[in-house]
Amino acid sequence: PAFVRHFALFSLPKPNEETLTQIFNGILLGFLGSFSGAIRALSEPMVTACVDVYMRVANVMLPTPDRSHYIFNLRDLSKCIQGILQATNLHYNMESQILRLFYHETTRVFHDRLINQDDKDLFKSLMKDVCKLHFKRVVVQDDEPAILFGDFMIFGKPKNERIYDEIKDHSKLESVLNDYIVDYNSMAVGKHMKLILFQDAMEHTVRLARLLRSDRGNGLLVGIAGMGKQSLTRLASHVNEYNCWQIEMRRNYDLNAFHEDLRVLYRIAGIDNHPVTFLMIDSQIVEEEFLEDINNILNSGEVPNLFEGDEFEKVILDARDPCNEVQKPETCTRDDIYKFFINRVRNNLHVVMSMSPVGDAFRRRCRMFPSLVNCTTIDWFTSWPTEALYSVALGLLTKIAPNMEDRVSLASTTVFMHKTVEDASVRFYKEMKRHYYTTPSSYLELLKLYQNLLKTKNQDIIAKRKRIANGLNKLLETNEVIAVMPEGAGGDGTPAGREIGHDEVAAPRILQRRPSRRTPSSRASWRTRPMPRRRRPWPRPYPRMLARIWRLQCRHCARPKMP
């Protein structure tokens, strides 16, 4: 009280529904002025529906320890209206088009952060009630596939000529995204992507492409490691013609090194005026001060004391001419130039944070750095569905199993193995209260291990088959040579043509066993020398000498006798 008494206190309560409707209806009605009369009439119902959805979600879906990111504010409501402002009067001329756009943008803001199917079903039921209440119709059917919007369905079209429209053909979406993957691999150096696009992956890619194309759009991707968050972010950045930028971790990487990287990133966005995606994963957060800077970037775009001294003067000098061109005929002051530089950074720099919900680090960081939730669009990555696992296995097993029937059997087996481990991990947590996480990366490792093991076994079998084939070829060649030789070749007077005696055959067999040192034959060889007077141990060369004598005797006995 002694401190507060020196100040005048002002309490700003939250605006009520009428105030919010009046504010956003003025914005949307002014934007829809060039549209048809039927669409202009939907301005107030859409704003009222957005406010109603925001109020219901904020009251029903409250934050819990497992749902620490269930925090909703007016920024979320403004994102819904901002998404509707992406429509164009040349392509949106029917009520159903603008209403489906409203449904899509509201779903992206509120639905994509939900962590389980129960919450998602609750949100769908809520949206159905809101649409019936304010529009007197059902906008999206229950059995309808996921509604998606994008502006990249014409491959190679310049970004300034793209139209943000509904994506109705999902097979065409897969083909277009594969074209973007091929184009990315042809341009990237050392970072090739090998993605198999299934329905869930395509939906996440469209979501990421949407938040990156939004004005000052930033994202928070939450999911266990190995869900494909980084790869899909690179793909979405390439779809929007952005450069995806990451810090390179090295030894003794600290806050000063992080600030050096941020200065490089700020110059790309603020001086070069190039849009860039800054992708950062939680394993790169070696110090919590990194998140303090990220929190400032998301909130205001400015990191305190990032540019000082000569660095600040260099920024002012490089940004002076672009600032003067924008504010002609007035001359920009130093404060105006730096403000212009920061605004450019906020418009061109899109921060995407990838974090894991495992443990209490995510919950603690959301509490300590609120801009991670308040100033981003959250996309929660759940475990891959069975269809995704099946389609990925079919794609990866194409080379080793060309036959479709064999490939289907192998894919079904791998999916069964992965699902069995998932069920066992759930039971393990219930019984032991310990988590065991099975991620898509572990499933991909299973497929890779099977491919490598199959390749190794095939190589072993091929090597053994070649060895047996070589032996059989030698036998066949020998049989052919023997068959060609004339009978009785050599004559009777030659050694090859005479009969071998029984003694000649038996002599080598008799001497197959090597005699010991005490046998008479061996004693006869060394008794030729005079015996010493006293008994001495045999010298070392004796065993070798005996072996040499033994070989000579064997040769002599095995020599054929002359007739």
Side-chain angles (χ1 to χ4, degrees), residues 21-47:
T21 303
Q22 183 178 1
I23 294 173
F24 289 106
N25 187 37
I27 297 174
L28 187 58
L29 188 60
F31 172 76
L32 297 178
S34 59
F35 286 72
S36 62
I39 293 181
R40 286 199 306 269
L42 292 174
S43 174
E44 186 173 355
M46 283 193 295
V47 172

Side-chain angles (χ1 to χ4, degrees), residues 420-549:
T420 303
V421 175
E422 282 188 347
D423 297 339
S425 63
V426 174
R427 185 163 54 90
F428 181 70
Y429 175 74
K430 291 181 179 179
E431 296 179 0
M432 306 298 295
K433 298 301 179 183
R434 293 176 60 186
H435 286 286
Y436 180 81
Y437 295 98
T438 54
T439 63
S441 61
S442 60
Y443 179 70
L444 296 177
E445 287 295 329
L446 170 65
L447 296 174
K448 185 178 179 181
L449 177 63
Y450 173 74
Q451 291 176 339
N452 294 336
L453 184 61
L454 181 63
K455 182 179 179 181
T456 303
K457 293 298 181 182
N458 286 336
Q459 291 176 351
D460 293 342
I461 293 174
I462 291 173
K464 292 179 180 179
R465 186 178 63 185
K466 288 183 178 179
R467 190 184 309 166
I468 295 174
N470 291 334
L472 293 176
N473 290 333
K474 293 295 182 181
L475 291 176
L476 292 176
E477 291 175 0
T478 305
N479 291 334
E480 292 176 358
V481 171
I482 294 175
V484 173
M485 291 177 62
E487 185 177 357
D492 295 337
T494 61
R498 68 178 180 83
E499 294 182 359
I500 301 176
H502 176 73
D503 297 338
E504 297 175 9
V505 176
R509 297 180 181 176
I510 296 173
L511 297 176
Q512 283 181 356
R513 184 176 179 182
R514 182 176 177 178
S516 63
R517 296 177 180 177
R518 299 296 183 181
T519 56
S521 60
S522 61
R523 281 201 300 269
S525 62
W526 56 264
R527 278 185 179 178
T528 56
R529 295 184 179 183
M531 293 293 293
R533 292 185 178 181
R534 59 179 182 178
R535 196 178 187 89
R536 294 182 180 178
W538 287 0
R540 291 184 179 179
Y542 258 94
R544 287 182 291 180
M545 184 177 66
L546 290 176
R548 185 167 64 252
I549 294 172

Side-chain angles (χ1 to χ4, degrees), residues 8 16 27 119 143 191 205 208 268 277 280 299 438 488 508 540 547:
N16 54 23
I27 297 174
D119 292 347
D143 56 347
K191 292 183 178 180
T205 304
L208 292 171
I268 294 174
T277 301
M280 190 171 186
N299 192 15
T438 54
R540 291 184 179 179

